[in-house]
Amino acid sequence: MTESATLERILPGTATAAVRERKRGIDRVIILLEALFRQRAPMRVGDIARLIGAPRSTTYEIVNRLLEADMLETVGTDGHVYFGRAMHLFGWAYSHHNAHYPRIIETLDRLAAESGETVQLCSLRGNKYVVLDCRDSAGPFRISSQVGVEVPIPWTASGRLLLSHMDDDAVRAFIPPEDYRLPDGRMLPQDEFLAAIALARQQGYSESAALADRFTWCLAAPILDGRGAMTLTLCFVLPVDTPEARRIELLALLRERAASLDLVGN
Amino acid sequence: MTESATLERILPGTATAAVRERKRGIDRVIILLEALFRQRAPMRVGDIARLIGAPRSTTYEIVNRLLEADMLETVGTDGHVYFGRAMHLFGWAYSHHNAHYPRIIETLDRLAAESGETVQLCSLRGNKYVVLDCRDSAGPFRISSQVGVEVPIPWTASGRLLLSHMDDDAVRAFIPPEDYRLPDGRMLPQDEFLAAIALARQQGYSESAALADRFTWCLAAPILDGRGAMTLTLCFVLPVDTPEARRIELLALLRERAASLDLVGN
DNA sequence: GCGACGTGTCTAGTATATCGGACAAATAAT
DNA sequence: ATTATTTGTCCGATATACTAGACACGTCGC
């Protein structure tokens, strides 16, 4: 008491500077899992604690409970932990809840095998675009993509399709302003983006060149769910110098396969 | 019974659901997710609360937090919830942490495509056997298997392989006595089981007929991890009347493909 | 040898998350 | 129409989960 009072007098603001507010276990868990996912590699408990700003003792407590539940598992011998088997099963349950998911994956596989190109299954997560699964091209200059990394929607061809159920105002409210800034620094005019969405809606597909990066040409086609909404897209990620004839051929293939997966009209 | 014994390991306190004691949020979350997984279908919040023995108000609180975090998502319009996108991504991260996982899945796909039979990727979860992924045969009398359902290890061919790193005492300690009772009521003598494990270890594969049910003949071959341990198996689930010549052919194919996935010596 | 650092476990105290119960609104049953 | 259930939200009280800090131990580097 005297001690802390003295400390406060000597170092004014220390107490408030170290405002590490108490948090619920459930919140810690969510933050922890998200952090582990972003890291994409096993971590030690101490590092996790530092990364998520949680007390070490709390972090040990939570990690140990999650280990028990198989949601995490130890990796190697020096205290690294990563996602566990339960996560695999829960994720599997999520995917396969849609009874048509196996068909979608089969289509993904076949498109990749037949074309030799990179193919992605895409969707939204909140107001960001994510790749749910992908098959990377086998070529020497492979274009690969990370599953689960969140990307601003305006950077993507699929994003234009996935927003096509929204009107202009909804889109304006949905997309954070900074997401219009492309990776190369250019700002994508909002009107242009809205027009691209309208075009995608009308055409039933979307195409974009050198958007997220200078090297890729993306083709995207929607998979309609039972209510006719576009919640998933299939997407080719091609080298930007792919000949036009080939692109047209692949687009036709993509649209045909995607349409065959639609759940409306069976 | 076996099920609740395992459950008790992962979800301490479930069996004594009659006693309504205060619990941590993190425990509720774990119990909730496991319950949802076992249900294998979207549930309403009220039903979840009843199933896991939690107060309604608490359940709402937790479900809403998990919805925010995308670990759950609403399904349909009448308040059903099920696993969310975050689970898919975490599960994906788990699977693909092993850099060879895509090769394993590719092998699974090819085996299924070439043979037309049901193929499974199997492992252990605690002291139970689980199917991590599978490709069901396309035939009219399809033998399908549920991913994630826990099964007593003695019921399975793969189980004999997955225990082959243990000595007899370790196995005796590991397998709950009731797990030796087969689905048809027969008791599998422990000695017989231990001998089968020794045989599997020596042969490098395992074969079992009419074990888990009267209709299937299982062939299992191990995938060795970097330290030479068998933590995964590939497995054919064949109709029990498959001709011997065909079984021999498939076993050879399975062993060859599984061996090509071994991480030791490569 | 020594100090600096990280790890994993434990404990006591308090800020607060959980719980029971009440509520209005919506659905179902009679 | 009336009654009986269920749903989703809110609130005050208190049991306790979370936190700070100490501890013993192992491992560096020098």
Side-chain angles (χ1 to χ4, degrees), chain B residues 16 32 56 61 82 84 87-88 90 95 137 140 155 208 229-230 260 266:
Chain B
T16 58
L32 190 159
R56 255 160 28 84
E61 170 68 25
Y82 203 53
M87 288 302 188
H88 173 86
F90 297 160
S95 316
S137 77
W155 297 12
S208 68
M230 296 183 192
S260 77
N266 179 19

Side-chain angles (χ1 to χ4, degrees), chain B residues 156-167:
Chain B
T156 69
S158 291
R160 286 149 175 70
L161 284 169
L162 293 167
L163 296 189
S164 61
H165 65 286
M166 292 186 180
D167 63 27

Side-chain angles (χ1 to χ4, degrees), chain A residues 88-133:
Chain A
H88 172 86
L89 298 175
F90 296 161
W92 194 94
Y94 166 78
S95 316
H96 291 256
H97 165 238
N98 178 349
H100 298 262
Y101 188 80
R103 281 177 55 213
I104 294 176
I105 293 302
E106 190 194 327
T107 301
L108 190 69
D109 283 331
R110 285 178 54 200
L111 277 172
E114 293 169 17
S115 70
E117 307 288 351
T118 294
V119 195
Q120 302 177 331
L121 175 67
C122 308
S123 183
L124 297 184
R125 186 179 181 199
N127 60 5
K128 294 285 185 284
Y129 155 101
V130 290
V131 178
L132 290 184
D133 208 339

Side-chain angles (χ1 to χ4, degrees), chain A residues 170-251:
Chain A
V171 172
R172 272 189 279 261
F174 192 61
I175 304 290
E178 64 270 22
D179 281 10
Y180 290 102
R181 180 173 298 279
L182 299 178
D184 61 4
R186 269 158 50 216
M187 287 298 282
L188 179 71
Q190 194 178 56
D191 290 350
E192 213 172 285
F193 182 56
L194 292 172
I197 294 174
L199 181 63
R201 176 168 38 227
Q202 180 209 319
Q203 290 180 141
Y205 68 88
S206 180
E207 194 166 14
S208 68
L211 196 59
D213 63 65
R214 300 201 321 281
F215 317 107
T216 57
W217 189 298
C218 296
L219 308 176
I223 303 173
L224 302 181
D225 71 12
R227 290 187 295 280
M230 296 183 191
T231 56
L232 296 172
T233 64
L234 283 175
C235 177
F236 271 125
V237 183
L238 307 175
V240 74
D241 60 358
T242 303
E244 186 178 5
R246 169 94 170 136
R247 292 199 314 258
I248 291 174
E249 177 197 344
L250 288 173
L251 177 60

Side-chain angles (χ1 to χ4, degrees), chain B residues 148-187:
Chain B
V149 172
E150 301 188 350
V151 171
I153 296 174
W155 297 12
T156 69
S158 291
R160 286 149 175 70
L161 284 169
L162 293 167
L163 296 189
S164 61
H165 65 286
M166 292 186 180
D167 63 27
D168 287 0
D169 282 341
V171 171
R172 273 190 276 261
F174 191 61
I175 304 289
E178 64 270 24
D179 282 11
Y180 290 102
R181 180 173 298 281
L182 300 177
D184 60 5
R186 267 157 52 217
M187 287 298 283

